[in-house]
Amino acid sequence: MAKADSPSELVRCAIYTRVSSEEQAKKGYSLDAQERMCRDALDQKYGLNLYEVEVYADEGYSHRWGLYDPEHPNRKFRPGLTRLVEAFKESKHQVLCLWELDRLYRRPALTEFLDQHFIPYGLEQIISLREDADFKTASGRLNIDVMAATAAFEVARLGERVSDSLDQRRHEGYAIGPPPYGWRWQTENETAQAGQRRRGIAPVDEEGEIVRWMAERYLAGDSILTITQQLNERGVPTNRGGKRWSRSSVKRILANPKQAGLLEVEDGEFIEAQHYEHRHYDPEVFHQLRARMERNAQNHSGSAHVPEYLLGGLIRCGHCGHPLNCRRVNRTNRRYYRCSTGCSRGTDTMCTRNSKPADVVDAVVLSKLKEIAAREDVGAAAAQALETMVDVSDERLRDDVERLEQQLEDAWGKYGHWSDRHYDGDLTEEEFEFHRQRFLEQKDELEQKLSKQRAQLRSREQRAAELQQAQEVLRDFDATFEGLTPEQRRQMVQLLVEDATMYHEKDGSTRVVFTVRFHGQFEHVIPKLTGGKPTLTIRQMEVYKLLADGLDRNEIARKLGIGPSNVTVHLWNGRKRAGAETYNECYEMVRDEIEKNEAILFTGRRRRKRPKDPDKRPLTPRQAEILGLKAEGLKADEIAERLGIAANTVYVQLDNCRHRLGRTTTEAAIKHAKEMGHI
C-alpha cells in the first residue's frame, strides 16, 4: 500500500488495545502504551498526517469474552471489540493495527475469526508490532493460527504450572489462599526470623480468642445459628470489618483445618503446617468439630423426603425462592415448614418469619385436592390439558438448561479474566488460587444442576405416561388416600401438585399458592389466629385444652414433650393474661377462642420413641475397644495403627462415644464407661 499524497487519499486505520486489568499499566502494558507504539508504527509506515485513525479500547476485559450477542444479552462481551467489528462492517477502516495478536483473539483458528468479521468488509492489512500477520498467503494464515494456538497453549500450561507449584507449597506446610479469620500474613521480618523459605501466616490474638470461643460453644452443644446470633449481639466485627455474621461463615471458620495448625494435602489426609506451634486449638478438637458437623449433616439429610411432610422438597419460600426446611422447631414434636435463608444471612427479612405448622399447610392442600377429586368434570379436564402440559414441561426444562449453560459460560469467562491477570503478572499465586477455587466450586455446582435438568428432559412418551398416572390418581384420590402409608401419601400428593409457594404477610397471616395438575393455580390465606387478637398464646391454649380433657400436669407434659414445671408456668401466665382467678375460670373465658383455633393446636405426641432395651449396651464393640485403648493413654495415631484404621476414624468414633454416653469430653466419657462397666 503506497503512502497517501493528499487528504482525499488518507489511509483509514483502526487501533485496537486491550488490557485485562488496571495493574498491567504498571508493567508497561497499559492502553496508552499500546496506543503510542501503534501510532509510531503507523507514522513510520504511512508518514505523518497521511492517515486517519480511530482507537478502540477494552480495559479490564478478558480475551474469553467475545462480541455482543442480541440473542443472549446477559452474556459477557467486549464493548471495544464489538464497536470495532461494527465499524469494519460499515467500511470505515482499511487497516487494523495491534500491539500483539493475542490482544484481539487468544484462541486457535484466528483466521476464521478474521474471515467472519473483518476480511469480507474491506480489511486490507493487519499491522502487529510483535508478529508477522500476513493473512493473504497460505503460509501467513498458518502462521497466524499457530501463534493463536500457542497463546492458548501457554495459558493452559501456566494454569498447570501454578497448580503444581501451589500443591508443592501445600506439601511443604505453607498455607494457600487468603488467611482465614484469626490469622494474617507474616511480615518480611517475621519470615526471616523464623528462617522460612516462604511467607507463612501468623495468629491474630484478638480474633484467635473468638475462634476458640466458637469451638468451645459448638462442642458444648450450641448450634451454628446460636453462635452466629451471639456474635451479632456482641457486635464482634468480621474479618473484613463487617457488622453481621452469617451461619455459613461461622461454619467455614470452625471447619478450617488451619485453625488447628493443619493443612489438608489429600482428601482426609492432614499434615502439620508451618504455623502448627501457634494453632488456636489442638487437632483433636478440630476432628471433634468435623465429626459433630458430619453427624448433624447425617441427621438432617433427606429431611425434605420425610414421609410425614407431604410437600417436603416441593414447597418454596415466596420471598427468596429457596426450598423450605422440613423440621421440628426447638426439639419439639411440632412439625414446621420453615425458611432459614434470612437467619443464615443474618438479615432482618420476611424469610425469617416465613414459618408455619406442616399440619396446617398440608391440610389446605389436601382439602383442595379432595374438592377437585369430587368434581364430575375432573376426567374431561385432565384429558384436555394432558397434551398441552407435556409441551409446557418441555419448554420449561429447555429454558432451565439454557439458563444453566449460560451461567456456566459466564463462570468460565470470569475464570479467564483472573487467568489473564495472573498470566500478565498482576495476581500473586495466593490470589489466583483463591479465585480458582471459587470457580471450581461454582463450576461443579452448575454442572451437577445441568446434569440433573438434562436428565429430567425425558421423552414425550415418558412424561405423558406420568401425567396419565396423575390423572388416574386424582380420579380416585378421595377413595384411596386414607388407606395409604405416609410415604405413599407423600408420593401421591407430589404427583398431583406441580409446585407450592408460601409467603409470610405483614399482618401475620400465611399465604399458600400451589398449582394442581390439570386445574391450574390456587391460593389460600391462613390467618395467624382466627377470632381477632388472641387472649392466650398457642402453647397456652394447648395446655388449657388438655387440662379441660382431664389430664394432669405430668400427662400434659408427656403429651407436649415439655417439662411439668413449664406446664405450670403456661397455666399461670394464661390465667394472668385472661384476668381469671382460677384455671377453670380461665378455660371458660377462652373456650370459644380455643375452639376456633383448634385446627392449628397441637395436643399429641407425633414422634414416638422406641422403648429402650435395658440389656443393650450404649457402645458398639468397636467403640468400646477404641475408648479402652484411649483410656490406656494411647494417642489417636497409635490406636489407628494398632487397629489398622484411619486416624480420622478414631476421632469420629471417640466423638460417637461421647455422644452415646452423654459426655462432653473424652476423659468424662472414659470415667463414665469404667463406672458402668462398658470398658
Side-chain angles (χ1 to χ4, degrees), residues 58 60-82 107 405-418 442:
D58 281 319
Y61 290 89
S62 168
H63 72 93
R64 295 183 181 274
W65 299 349
L67 302 175
Y68 174 75
D69 187 354
E71 297 182 358
H72 302 280
N74 296 326
R75 184 176 296 175
K76 302 286 186 177
F77 67 96
R78 283 189 265 167
L81 179 62
T82 302
R107 297 180 184 177
E405 289 175 344
Q406 179 62 46
Q407 292 178 359
L408 185 61
E409 183 176 348
D410 291 343
W412 273 106
K414 292 179 181 178
Y415 176 71
H417 169 69
W418 298 117
Q442 184 181 9

Side-chain angles (χ1 to χ4, degrees), residues 11-212:
V11 181
R12 303 187 304 276
C13 302
I15 295 177
Y16 179 72
T17 61
R18 180 181 65 84
V19 292
S20 299
S21 63
E22 296 179 357
E23 287 79 3
Q24 286 181 329
K26 301 177 182 179
K27 299 186 178 181
Y29 304 108
S30 67
L31 297 177
D32 293 338
Q34 295 179 38
E35 180 182 349
R36 183 177 62 256
M37 289 186 289
C38 288
R39 288 184 181 273
D40 291 343
L42 293 175
D43 288 342
Q44 294 178 5
K45 186 172 185 61
Y46 301 116
L48 294 175
N49 302 323
L50 296 179
Y51 65 90
E52 58 181 12
V53 64
E54 186 171 351
V55 180
Y56 302 86
D58 281 319
E59 184 175 7
Y61 290 89
S62 168
H63 72 93
R64 295 183 181 274
W65 299 349
L67 302 175
Y68 174 75
D69 187 354
E71 297 182 358
H72 302 280
N74 296 326
R75 184 176 296 175
K76 302 286 186 177
F77 67 96
R78 283 189 265 167
L81 179 62
T82 302
R83 289 188 289 104
L84 175 66
V85 171
E86 292 176 351
F88 266 93
K89 290 182 178 180
E90 296 174 1
S91 301
K92 291 184 177 181
H93 305 297
Q94 302 167 267
V95 178
L96 175 60
C97 187
L98 303 158
W99 173 64
E100 195 173 19
L101 283 176
D102 67 357
R103 298 296 90 193
L104 180 70
Y105 201 77
R106 196 182 286 180
R107 297 180 184 177
L110 172 57
T111 54
E112 294 183 6
F113 183 75
L114 297 175
D115 289 337
Q116 182 178 0
H117 300 291
F118 292 94
I119 296 177
Y121 304 104
L123 176 64
E124 299 179 6
Q125 186 176 8
I126 296 179
I127 301 176
S128 174
L129 278 62
R130 303 289 296 272
E131 307 101 350
D132 180 16
D134 182 13
F135 60 86
K136 296 183 178 180
T137 63
S139 59
R141 294 172 64 88
L142 176 62
N143 185 42
I144 291 176
D145 282 342
V146 169
M147 288 186 291
T150 303
F153 172 73
E154 289 177 352
V155 172
R157 284 295 302 273
L158 177 62
E160 294 177 357
R161 288 194 295 268
V162 169
S163 179
D164 294 340
S165 175
L166 293 176
D167 188 60
Q168 177 63 29
R169 181 171 182 172
R170 187 182 296 108
H171 279 79
E172 293 176 357
Y174 291 94
I176 303 298
Y181 182 82
W183 301 88
R184 60 172 175 82
W185 288 116
Q186 287 179 330
T187 62
E188 294 182 0
N189 292 335
E190 291 174 336
T191 304
Q193 291 175 2
Q196 299 171 177
R197 296 177 53 250
R198 303 176 184 270
R199 183 177 62 161
I201 60 177
V204 180
D205 296 336
E206 298 81 2
E207 295 180 356
E209 294 179 1
I210 299 298
V211 173
R212 289 188 290 273

Side-chain angles (χ1 to χ4, degrees), residues 214-274:
M214 290 182 190
E216 292 173 359
R217 296 314 310 159
Y218 189 65
L219 292 179
D222 287 353
S223 66
I224 298 292
L225 179 58
T226 300
I227 296 174
T228 304
Q229 293 172 343
Q230 292 177 2
L231 289 171
N232 290 328
E233 291 172 359
R234 292 169 55 183
V236 177
T238 65
N239 56 341
R240 296 184 179 180
K243 299 180 179 179
R244 302 292 298 181
W245 287 81
S246 66
R247 187 166 54 183
S248 59
S249 63
V250 173
K251 184 176 181 180
R252 187 164 53 248
I253 291 171
L254 291 175
N256 196 325
K258 296 176 185 176
Q259 306 290 359
L262 303 176
L263 288 179
E264 187 172 10
V265 293
E266 299 292 343
D267 188 16
E269 180 182 347
F270 299 91
I271 63 172
E272 293 183 1
Q274 150 269 334

Side-chain angles (χ1 to χ4, degrees), residues 307-311 335 337 358-359 361-371 373-374 472-497:
E308 55 190 5
Y309 294 91
L310 298 182
L311 300 176
R335 301 181 301 111
Y337 292 124
D359 292 343
V361 179
D362 291 348
V364 169
V365 177
L366 285 177
S367 176
K368 178 55 66 175
L369 291 177
K370 291 180 179 179
E371 176 186 339
E472 296 173 357
V473 168
L474 188 59
R475 186 183 301 114
D476 302 329
F477 180 83
D478 197 31
T480 59
F481 185 80
E482 297 300 330
L484 300 178
T485 64
E487 176 62 25
Q488 290 172 335
R489 290 183 179 184
R490 189 184 71 85
Q491 294 176 357
M492 190 174 188
V493 169
Q494 298 210 352
L495 189 62
L496 298 175
V497 179

Side-chain angles (χ1 to χ4, degrees), residues 344-515:
S344 63
R345 292 176 180 173
T347 56
D348 185 16
T349 65
M350 297 293 287
C351 297
T352 59
R353 296 179 291 277
N354 198 12
S355 175
K356 204 66 179 175
D359 292 343
V360 180
V361 179
D362 291 348
V364 169
V365 177
L366 285 177
S367 176
K368 178 55 66 175
L369 291 177
K370 291 180 179 179
E371 176 186 339
I372 294 174
R375 293 168 50 181
E376 296 181 355
D377 59 341
V378 61
Q384 183 178 2
L386 182 61
E387 189 69 20
T388 303
M389 293 190 66
V390 173
D391 295 335
V392 172
S393 178
D394 270 341
E395 183 178 356
R396 184 174 64 251
L397 287 173
R398 290 194 184 96
D399 291 342
D400 291 341
V401 169
E402 184 176 352
R403 175 178 55 82
L404 291 172
E405 289 175 344
Q406 179 62 46
Q407 292 178 359
L408 185 61
E409 183 176 348
D410 291 343
W412 273 106
K414 292 179 181 178
Y415 176 71
H417 169 69
W418 298 117
S419 178
D420 284 346
R421 292 187 59 183
H422 186 272
Y423 173 77
D424 295 323
D426 299 304
L427 283 182
T428 63
E429 293 180 357
E430 293 82 8
E431 292 173 336
F432 177 73
E433 176 65 14
F434 171 75
H435 292 292
R436 178 175 173 272
Q437 291 298 332
R438 290 182 58 186
F439 161 73
L440 292 176
E441 294 174 0
Q442 184 181 9
K443 180 178 73 71
D444 292 341
E445 181 182 357
L446 290 174
E447 286 178 347
Q448 290 177 3
K449 291 182 179 179
L450 189 59
S451 176
K452 183 178 179 180
Q453 290 293 333
R454 286 171 174 167
Q456 291 179 356
L457 195 58
R458 296 167 295 184
S459 66
R460 184 185 185 89
E461 293 75 13
Q462 288 176 312
R463 288 197 307 282
E466 179 181 321
L467 294 173
Q468 185 69 31
Q469 182 183 4
Q471 177 185 354
E472 296 173 357
V473 168
L474 188 59
R475 186 183 301 114
D476 302 329
F477 180 83
D478 197 31
T480 59
F481 185 80
E482 297 300 330
L484 300 178
T485 64
E487 176 62 25
Q488 290 172 335
R489 290 183 179 184
R490 189 184 71 85
Q491 294 176 357
M492 190 174 188
V493 169
Q494 298 210 352
L495 189 62
L496 298 175
V497 179
E498 279 193 285
D499 56 68
T501 309
M502 192 170 80
Y503 300 84
H504 174 78
E505 304 296 344
K506 294 183 178 180
D507 59 358
S509 62
T510 300
R511 181 163 56 93
V512 181
V513 181
F514 57 97
T515 304

Side-chain angles (χ1 to χ4, degrees), residues 7 11 41 47 60 66 74-75 142 156 213 240 285 303 472 482 532 550 560 605 654 659 676 679:
V11 181
N74 296 326
R75 184 176 296 175
L142 176 62
W213 174 82
R240 296 184 179 180
V285 176
S303 61
E472 296 173 357
E482 297 300 330
L560 298 179
R605 180 181 293 274
L654 289 175
H659 179 68
M676 302 302 296
I679 59 175

